[in-house]
Amino acid sequence: MVEGIFANWLKAFVLRHQFQYTQAVNTRYGQRQTEPFSVDFGLVKVSVIGLGYFGATHAVAMAELGHEVIGIEPDPKRLSALVEGVLPFHEPGLDEALTRVIARGNITFQSGHNAESASADLHFICVGTPQKHGSEAADTTYVFSAAKELAAHIKPTAVVAGKSTVPVGTAAALKAAMSEIAGFSVNLAWNPEFLREGTALEDSLRPDRIVVGAWDDHAAAVLKACYQPILDLGTPYLVLDVPTAELVKVAANAFLATKISFINAMAEVSEAAGADAVALAKAIGYDERIGNKFLRTGIGFGGGCLPKDIRGFIARADELGVGSAVDFLKDVDAINLRRRDRVVALATAELGEVAGKRISMLGVSFKPDSDDLRDSPALDIALRLSRAGAVVTVHDPVSLDALAVKEPGLAREPELVEALREADLVILGTEWKQYKEADPVILGSVVASKNIIDGRNVLDVEAWQAAGWRVTALGRNIVNG
Ligand code: UGA
């Protein structure tokens, strides 16, 4: 579907924009060079540096738009998988798109820079910014090393677009470091990424908005040309100052995290007050100012973004002397982590003593349609129960291989029914579709005790109770017969 829309668009667009672009380039030494920009405005030669979850998605998305993409990934295993057309992680629809753009010749992969990548007109930096060891702050080491390596290769007219999530102020430091190495003022822009795992390709090709922070018109114009097919769909294109663009990303993630923790705080209150947080979320969500999205109560947020981004934001605000402005994010984090404690406490209350009991964990990725285990609430709970002596068996539709690498000590079972055999307690940790659709009668026939904690509030409680299950859920006061 995506292919058809963009193939048609491309024909029209390339015809419309076949002209050479001449750009005055400010060199570091103050002379103005006038060079022909080597591409027509229809199709751009692009490099994408760092091919993790979002870099690989972005590279494929750019190739889907028809651009000539060079993906750069130093990790040999990840690189060889991509070269073979195999996606090294699970992301619905992206594997087919990868095969498609490789077959069309729109994308190639390499381990580092060479003359080919040096001739690109636009370079996207997509490397990770994980949480620093022993600190709450974001680790920007990979961004700086990728940028510095790139600076040694780029041409003066090229634009560098940073997409990694960085502490505000990073882009200015990067521009200075890159310009020093390149010997001219590097056209750096900041272009945050808002895609979600599980819907990454769709989010890339049909984003809510495209945000560009730029110091100069050239960078904003080249990025606009690159994204034109998406803009032609009516997508807002916001050109902002660079610090604001950097902040947009962390502010958006902080807001989303706050929304989830808000409803999880209401879940704590609901549990104490005999109320129902799911019904509460629905009722407040009808108010358009509040909205019903991101108000799903459960075991909370995880993944490689929201948790570390709010912590990095707190650390950066502290550095800027305005820590108290985002102090509430510490509560957002604490409320989120308390959800995991709550499940461990509920499991202990249900079983009396967890040691020696068989617990089946349904789902281990941080969200469905992903095999990402980074800061996964379900995995954290499984590990804590296992450490407490429970015999934990994990089921997940796609994440068991990743689990085998990350936590080989946890038992894995790919067959759902087998994963529940003889279980004393079942915990639903990730709301995969197949759990929502599972037959409670069939599953009830293999467990030792029909007892389930719905950590994501997605089960049809009545149907499960009718099949003889005792159902406990977060933020609700479910009466079991
Ligand atoms: C998040 C943002 O949603 C993206 O916009 C952003 O681009 C991305 O981080 C990033 O910074 O790269 P993602 O981490 O893929 O995307 O997943 P989300 O859909 O935001 O879910 C995050 C976590 O919140 C999951 O563990 C999910 O289960 C949980 N969640 C989400 C809830 O507990 N309740 C909700 O109502 C929604």
Side-chain angles (χ1 to χ4, degrees):
M1 183 189 67
V2 166
E3 189 186 26
I5 294 168
F6 285 104
N8 287 341
W9 172 87
L10 268 174
K11 270 188 213 139
F13 186 80
V14 172
L15 285 174
R16 231 172 44 231
H17 295 278
Q18 291 281 350
F19 63 90
Q20 287 278 305
Y21 174 66
T22 302
Q23 170 65 28
V25 178
N26 250 326
T27 69
R28 186 182 176 218
Y29 310 102
Q31 310 130 261
R32 289 185 75 80
Q33 286 178 344
T34 301
E35 299 185 8
F37 190 61
S38 69
V39 291
D40 61 65
F41 248 16
L43 299 172
V44 183
K45 186 168 180 180
V46 163
S47 91
V48 178
I49 302 154
L51 302 175
Y53 283 95
F54 93 86
T57 306
H58 186 68
V60 171
M62 293 302 98
E64 280 277 42
L65 296 186
H67 300 307
E68 183 188 341
V69 179
I70 301 162
I72 299 178
E73 172 56 55
D75 180 274
K77 232 170 127 191
R78 189 168 278 260
L79 178 68
S80 62
L82 289 165
V83 168
E84 298 292 315
V86 177
L87 203 62
F89 52 86
H90 179 81
E91 181 59 48
L94 193 61
D95 39 2
E96 288 99 327
L98 174 66
T99 310
R100 200 157 55 224
V101 292
I102 290 176
R104 267 201 328 238
N106 280 110
I107 195 164
T108 54
F109 299 101
Q110 55 195 52
S111 61
H113 295 284
N114 59 10
E116 194 54 31
S117 60
S119 69
D121 308 293
L122 178 55
H123 304 269
F124 289 103
I125 298 180
C126 296
V127 297
T129 49
Q131 189 174 330
K132 261 186 201 161
H133 286 297
S135 155
E136 304 279 275
D139 184 352
T140 55
T141 313
Y142 301 120
V143 180
F144 273 90
S145 54
K148 286 178 179 172
E149 217 177 304
L150 172 63
H153 293 85
I154 46 170
K155 58 185 185 181
T157 47
V159 170
V160 180
K163 290 192 79 65
S164 310
T165 303
V166 292
V168 58
T170 303
L174 276 178
K175 183 174 167 72
M178 292 183 82
S179 302
E180 180 72 31
I181 294 167
F184 52 81
S185 176
V186 170
N187 299 305
L188 179 69
W190 216 256
N191 173 217
E193 179 58 63
F194 302 102
L195 65 80
R196 295 159 297 172
E197 289 179 29
T199 51
L201 186 61
E202 184 69 11
D203 287 350
S204 299
L205 292 172
R206 294 166 196 277
D208 294 334
R209 74 301 206 186
I210 291 175
V211 170
V212 170
W215 279 283
D216 59 89
D217 294 345
H218 173 62
V222 171
L223 276 160
K224 188 162 187 274
C226 174
Y227 288 126
Q228 195 59 49
I230 297 173
L231 303 182
D232 282 355
L233 300 172
T235 310
Y237 184 66
L238 308 176
V239 180
L240 310 173
D241 60 76
V242 176
T244 306
E246 289 171 302
L247 264 181
V248 169
K249 176 60 192 273
V250 279
N253 276 0
F255 190 85
L256 294 171
T258 303
K259 212 171 169 191
I260 299 168
S261 276
F262 174 82
I263 201 61
N264 283 333
M266 294 306 105
E268 287 187 29
V269 176
S270 296
E271 283 173 21
D276 185 319
V278 173
L280 173 75
K282 193 172 172 192
I284 63 172
Y286 278 114
D287 183 332
E288 283 183 3
R289 293 168 303 171
I290 296 171
N292 58 12
K293 291 186 180 148
F294 262 69
L295 277 185
R296 280 182 287 109
T297 178
I299 59 175
F301 59 80
C305 302
L306 300 192
K308 65 106 177 150
D309 286 353
I310 56 170
R311 292 171 199 151
F313 197 7
I314 296 167
R316 183 62 184 137
D318 264 340
E319 280 171 14
L320 293 169
V322 287
S324 56
V326 294
D327 230 22
F328 70 95
L329 289 176
K330 291 180 184 161
D331 284 331
V332 167
D333 200 9
I335 292 165
N336 191 51
L337 295 176
R338 277 210 296 275
R339 295 286 77 195
R340 305 175 188 187
D341 301 341
R342 179 73 183 136
V343 176
V344 173
L346 278 175
T348 310
E350 290 298 320
L351 295 169
E353 170 65 58
V354 297
K357 299 284 169 50
R358 301 180 70 86
I359 299 178
S360 301
M361 176 61 77
L362 299 187
V364 73
S365 53
F366 85 105
K367 68 186 286 192
D369 296 319
S370 168
D371 61 355
D372 194 345
L373 301 177
R374 287 176 295 172
D375 208 344
S376 163
L379 176 56
D380 190 19
I381 292 165
L383 285 170
R384 284 162 69 171
L385 291 168
S386 170
R387 281 187 215 114
V391 182
V392 178
T393 302
V394 177
H395 178 272
D396 191 286
V398 302
S399 313
L400 295 186
D401 288 347
L403 183 65
V405 175
K406 194 175 169 82
E407 294 294 345
L410 277 178
R412 305 172 300 280
E413 172 51 60
E415 293 300 325
L416 179 56
V417 169
E418 288 312 308
L420 266 68
R421 198 167 290 283
E422 295 306 319
D424 297 302
L425 178 68
V426 181
I427 301 175
L428 191 152
T430 313
E431 66 274 34
W432 285 94
K433 191 163 169 257
Q434 73 183 90
Y435 304 147
K436 293 192 241 176
E437 292 173 352
D439 185 339
V441 176
I442 295 174
L443 297 186
S445 68
V446 297
V447 294
S449 174
K450 292 186 202 175
N451 194 352
I452 187 163
I453 298 175
D454 180 0
R456 294 292 185 175
N457 276 307
V458 289
L459 296 181
D460 179 342
V461 175
E462 275 179 24
W464 280 72
Q465 285 181 327
W469 286 80
R470 176 177 163 77
V471 183
T472 312
L474 297 178
R476 306 178 81 176
N477 287 276
I478 294 170
V479 179
N480 286 289

Short mmCIF file of all heavy atoms in Angstrom, two decimals, residues 118-141:
data_model
loop_
_atom_site.label_atom_id
_atom_site.label_comp_id
_atom_site.label_asym_id
_atom_site.label_seq_id
_atom_site.Cartn_x
_atom_site.Cartn_y
_atom_site.Cartn_z
N ALA A 118 30.69 9.69 1.57
CA ALA A 118 31.16 11.08 1.67
C ALA A 118 30.47 11.97 0.64
O ALA A 118 30.38 13.19 0.81
CB ALA A 118 32.67 11.13 1.48
N SER A 119 29.98 11.37 -0.44
CA SER A 119 29.34 12.18 -1.48
C SER A 119 27.85 12.42 -1.20
O SER A 119 27.17 13.08 -1.97
CB SER A 119 29.52 11.52 -2.85
OG SER A 119 28.75 10.33 -2.89
N ALA A 120 27.35 11.89 -0.09
CA ALA A 120 25.92 12.07 0.22
C ALA A 120 25.63 13.54 0.51
O ALA A 120 26.49 14.29 0.99
CB ALA A 120 25.53 11.21 1.41
N ASP A 121 24.39 13.94 0.21
CA ASP A 121 23.98 15.33 0.41
C ASP A 121 23.38 15.55 1.79
O ASP A 121 23.32 16.67 2.28
CB ASP A 121 22.91 15.68 -0.64
CG ASP A 121 23.40 15.34 -2.02
OD1 ASP A 121 24.34 16.00 -2.48
OD2 ASP A 121 22.86 14.39 -2.63
N LEU A 122 22.94 14.45 2.39
CA LEU A 122 22.27 14.55 3.68
C LEU A 122 22.66 13.33 4.51
O LEU A 122 22.62 12.20 4.01
CB LEU A 122 20.75 14.57 3.41
CG LEU A 122 19.78 14.61 4.56
CD1 LEU A 122 20.06 15.79 5.49
CD2 LEU A 122 18.35 14.71 4.03
N HIS A 123 23.09 13.59 5.72
CA HIS A 123 23.50 12.50 6.62
C HIS A 123 22.62 12.54 7.87
O HIS A 123 22.54 13.58 8.53
CB HIS A 123 24.96 12.67 7.06
CG HIS A 123 25.93 12.76 5.93
ND1 HIS A 123 26.56 11.65 5.39
CD2 HIS A 123 26.39 13.83 5.22
CE1 HIS A 123 27.37 12.04 4.41
NE2 HIS A 123 27.29 13.36 4.28
N PHE A 124 21.99 11.43 8.18
CA PHE A 124 21.18 11.36 9.40
C PHE A 124 21.96 10.61 10.48
O PHE A 124 22.41 9.48 10.24
CB PHE A 124 19.88 10.60 9.13
CG PHE A 124 18.89 11.34 8.28
CD1 PHE A 124 18.74 11.02 6.93
CD2 PHE A 124 18.11 12.36 8.82
CE1 PHE A 124 17.82 11.69 6.15
CE2 PHE A 124 17.19 13.04 8.03
CZ PHE A 124 17.04 12.70 6.70
N ILE A 125 22.11 11.23 11.63
CA ILE A 125 22.77 10.54 12.75
C ILE A 125 21.68 9.92 13.62
O ILE A 125 20.84 10.63 14.18
CB ILE A 125 23.63 11.52 13.58
CG1 ILE A 125 24.75 12.10 12.69
CG2 ILE A 125 24.21 10.82 14.80
CD1 ILE A 125 25.67 13.07 13.40
N CYS A 126 21.69 8.60 13.69
CA CYS A 126 20.61 7.87 14.38
C CYS A 126 21.15 6.95 15.47
O CYS A 126 20.52 5.96 15.82
CB CYS A 126 19.83 7.03 13.37
SG CYS A 126 18.97 8.01 12.14
N VAL A 127 22.33 7.23 15.99
CA VAL A 127 22.90 6.32 17.00
C VAL A 127 22.20 6.53 18.36
O VAL A 127 21.56 7.55 18.60
CB VAL A 127 24.43 6.53 17.15
CG1 VAL A 127 25.13 6.19 15.86
CG2 VAL A 127 24.75 7.96 17.57
N GLY A 128 22.36 5.56 19.23
CA GLY A 128 21.65 5.57 20.51
C GLY A 128 22.26 6.52 21.53
O GLY A 128 23.45 6.87 21.47
N THR A 129 21.42 6.94 22.47
CA THR A 129 21.89 7.74 23.61
C THR A 129 21.37 7.07 24.87
O THR A 129 20.40 7.54 25.48
CB THR A 129 21.37 9.19 23.54
OG1 THR A 129 19.96 9.16 23.29
CG2 THR A 129 22.06 9.98 22.45
N PRO A 130 21.97 5.94 25.26
CA PRO A 130 21.47 5.21 26.43
C PRO A 130 21.71 5.97 27.72
O PRO A 130 22.40 7.00 27.72
CB PRO A 130 22.29 3.92 26.40
CG PRO A 130 23.54 4.28 25.66
CD PRO A 130 23.17 5.34 24.68
N GLN A 131 21.15 5.45 28.79
CA GLN A 131 21.42 6.07 30.10
C GLN A 131 22.86 5.74 30.48
O GLN A 131 23.33 4.62 30.30
CB GLN A 131 20.45 5.49 31.14
CG GLN A 131 20.48 6.22 32.46
CD GLN A 131 19.39 5.69 33.41
OE1 GLN A 131 18.33 5.24 32.98
NE2 GLN A 131 19.66 5.76 34.70
N LYS A 132 23.57 6.75 31.00
CA LYS A 132 24.97 6.53 31.42
C LYS A 132 25.02 5.55 32.58
O LYS A 132 24.14 5.59 33.44
CB LYS A 132 25.54 7.86 31.93
CG LYS A 132 26.38 8.61 30.96
CD LYS A 132 27.01 9.81 31.65
CE LYS A 132 27.42 10.84 30.62
NZ LYS A 132 27.61 12.16 31.17
N HIS A 133 26.06 4.73 32.61
CA HIS A 133 26.21 3.83 33.75
C HIS A 133 26.45 4.64 35.01
O HIS A 133 27.26 5.58 35.01
CB HIS A 133 27.37 2.85 33.53
CG HIS A 133 27.02 1.79 32.52
ND1 HIS A 133 26.01 0.88 32.73
CD2 HIS A 133 27.51 1.51 31.29
CE1 HIS A 133 25.89 0.09 31.68
NE2 HIS A 133 26.79 0.46 30.77
N GLY A 134 25.74 4.32 36.07
CA GLY A 134 25.95 4.99 37.34
C GLY A 134 25.46 6.41 37.38
O GLY A 134 25.87 7.20 38.23
N SER A 135 24.60 6.79 36.45
CA SER A 135 24.09 8.17 36.40
C SER A 135 22.72 8.15 35.72
O SER A 135 22.36 7.20 35.04
CB SER A 135 25.09 9.03 35.62
OG SER A 135 24.45 10.14 35.06
N GLU A 136 21.98 9.22 35.94
CA GLU A 136 20.66 9.34 35.29
C GLU A 136 20.80 9.96 33.90
O GLU A 136 19.88 9.91 33.09
CB GLU A 136 19.74 10.26 36.12
CG GLU A 136 19.55 9.85 37.55
CD GLU A 136 18.51 8.75 37.70
OE1 GLU A 136 17.33 9.08 37.78
OE2 GLU A 136 18.89 7.55 37.74
N ALA A 137 21.94 10.59 33.64
CA ALA A 137 22.11 11.38 32.42
C ALA A 137 22.20 10.52 31.17
O ALA A 137 22.52 9.32 31.23
CB ALA A 137 23.38 12.22 32.55
N ALA A 138 21.90 11.15 30.02
CA ALA A 138 22.02 10.45 28.74
C ALA A 138 23.50 10.40 28.35
O ALA A 138 24.24 11.37 28.53
CB ALA A 138 21.22 11.18 27.68
N ASP A 139 23.89 9.28 27.80
CA ASP A 139 25.26 9.10 27.34
C ASP A 139 25.34 9.49 25.86
O ASP A 139 24.79 8.79 24.99
CB ASP A 139 25.65 7.63 27.54
CG ASP A 139 27.10 7.37 27.17
OD1 ASP A 139 27.75 8.28 26.62
OD2 ASP A 139 27.58 6.25 27.43
N THR A 140 26.00 10.59 25.58
CA THR A 140 26.06 11.08 24.19
C THR A 140 27.35 10.67 23.48
O THR A 140 27.64 11.15 22.38
CB THR A 140 25.93 12.62 24.15
OG1 THR A 140 26.94 13.19 24.99
CG2 THR A 140 24.57 13.09 24.62
N THR A 141 28.08 9.74 24.09
CA THR A 141 29.37 9.32 23.51
C THR A 141 29.23 8.88 22.06
O THR A 141 30.02 9.26 21.20
CB THR A 141 29.96 8.13 24.32
OG1 THR A 141 29.85 8.44 25.69
CG2 THR A 141 31.39 7.85 23.95
#
